[in-house]
Amino acid sequence: MNKASKIMRLALLQLKGSKDKTANVSNALSKIEEAVKEHEPRLITLPECFNCPYGTKYFREYAECIPGGYTSQQLSKAALDHQVYIVGGTIPELGENESIYNTCTVWGPNGDLIAKHRKMHLFDIDVKGGIRFKESETLSAGNDFTTINVDGHKIGIGICYDIRFEEMARLYRNDGCEMIIYPAAFNMTTGPLHWELLQRARANDNQLFVVTTSPARDTTAEYVAYGHSMVVDPWAKVLKAADESEQIVAADIDFSLVEQVRQQIPVFSQRRLDLYSTEKK
């Protein structure tokens, strides 16, 4: 870690969504401006599928190229105008050979696209009496891990269902990450059961910060998001959390806590690598 400040202010934007892409993007831009004025964050995060409804029948209709599409251009301008990092939630990306990806873009204060993460694990579940959803009906899976460096701090990027896979988080820890950010849209079946549990588990296992940003809950939507965007610290304590409504959550991240926790409970150096290992192939 370099000599940069160990404190970083985040703003999580839990946003309402609709079927109007332009209105959704406009709302995000308005809330970015509000967050900058009220909280002066260094990094702003947006929800999964913030510019469109979350549903397989919508992904191709709303898909855009990155970075040339409308949403990307607006986020690029916002990052430049406000001189902040923006983890741009996710949007449906029109990729190679007409493939569609659920993709998170990350923008630097100069307006440049500094990273792009395609959702690695597609959300295909069938909970009896609860919810059935098959992202793989229209989406392709990404194959790359994604990290960014903000003021000397390494941050991993995942998307929603990615959080269920502890191996992915472990590999980010192996790679030196101090935080993982997951734009996400859990639902009213999995949210009450696993939302907080999974974040605290990933934070505890890997002794890092976990940040999630959800859409606000809309009970009239076809897919009802759980909300409760959250910041969890390396002790697995919930540092900040939203309720289900549209709101901005600001949190000051003290990265020195990562080092403190890892020194006091040094599980990383105590792993029995002679017996098991989690490494990238």
Side-chain angles (χ1 to χ4, degrees):
M1 190 182 302
N2 66 16
K3 295 180 180 179
S5 171
K6 304 238 182 195
I7 306 293
M8 181 188 299
R9 179 164 295 175
L10 307 184
L12 286 56
L13 309 189
Q14 184 164 285
L15 304 175
K16 292 178 181 176
S18 71
K19 293 183 179 179
D20 186 334
K21 180 194 286 188
T22 303
N24 291 336
V25 174
S26 178
N27 184 46
L29 298 175
S30 175
K31 291 299 189 293
I32 289 169
E33 183 175 6
E34 181 181 338
V36 169
K37 287 181 178 178
E38 292 187 2
H39 303 290
E40 298 183 352
R42 181 63 169 155
L43 188 151
I44 294 173
T45 68
L46 306 181
E48 183 178 23
C49 288
F50 79 93
N51 75 341
C52 70
Y54 184 62
T56 54
K57 67 183 180 182
Y58 297 109
F59 292 146
R60 185 166 292 278
E61 176 188 351
Y62 286 77
E64 302 178 13
C65 295
I66 295 172
Y70 170 72
T71 304
S72 291
Q73 291 298 301
Q74 294 301 309
L75 291 180
S76 171
K77 184 177 185 301
L80 176 61
D81 287 349
H82 299 295
Q83 293 291 289
V84 293
Y85 287 89
I86 296 176
V87 176
T90 77
I91 65 172
E93 177 196 4
L94 181 62
E96 309 81 12
N97 303 314
E98 297 298 307
S99 295
I100 307 295
Y101 299 91
N102 189 351
T103 301
C104 175
T105 58
V106 184
W107 305 90
N110 58 1
D112 289 348
L113 178 68
I114 59 174
K116 181 176 79 169
H117 180 75
R118 290 170 168 173
K119 192 173 191 177
M120 192 178 290
H121 303 93
L122 297 182
F123 182 51
D124 285 6
I125 69 166
D126 189 355
V127 180
K128 306 306 178 188
I131 184 171
R132 180 186 183 277
F133 203 97
K134 301 287 183 183
E135 277 189 328
S136 63
E137 290 174 353
T138 54
L139 295 180
S140 297
N143 297 316
D144 297 315
F145 293 85
T146 306
T147 61
I148 60 174
N149 190 298
V150 180
D151 300 334
H153 303 292
K154 199 167 192 179
I155 300 171
I157 305 293
I159 299 171
C160 199
Y161 201 53
D162 285 339
I163 200 172
R164 290 189 178 272
F165 298 87
E166 70 276 10
E167 299 91 345
M168 181 180 181
R170 166 60 63 180
L171 290 173
Y172 277 141
R173 163 72 198 269
N174 289 355
D175 202 27
C177 289
E178 300 170 81
M179 173 185 285
I180 306 175
I181 297 175
Y182 297 94
F186 273 44
N187 54 70
M188 296 305 296
T189 298
T190 60
L193 285 171
H194 300 147
W195 177 249
E196 180 179 324
L197 172 69
L198 284 165
Q199 293 175 68
R200 296 181 68 189
R202 297 292 84 81
N204 181 69
D205 290 347
N206 298 293
Q207 300 172 312
L208 42 65
F209 286 93
V210 170
V211 176
T212 56
T213 310
S214 169
R217 189 181 305 173
D218 177 2
T219 56
T220 68
E222 295 169 61
Y223 182 95
V224 181
Y226 183 58
H228 297 280
S229 301
M230 195 171 291
V231 179
V232 179
D233 77 12
W235 284 115
K237 294 179 183 177
V238 177
L239 185 62
K240 287 287 183 73
D243 57 23
E244 71 279 3
S245 63
E246 183 172 76
Q247 61 196 271
I248 298 171
V249 175
D252 286 329
I253 303 300
D254 182 357
F255 282 104
S256 68
L257 192 60
V258 174
E259 189 175 350
Q260 292 173 29
V261 172
R262 292 177 180 182
Q263 287 178 347
Q264 293 174 53
I265 307 178
V267 291
F268 194 74
S269 63
Q270 295 169 336
R271 295 174 71 217
R272 288 290 306 274
L273 297 181
D274 55 322
L275 301 178
Y276 52 78
S277 181
T278 304
E279 303 293 342
K280 285 183 184 177
K281 289 188 176 180

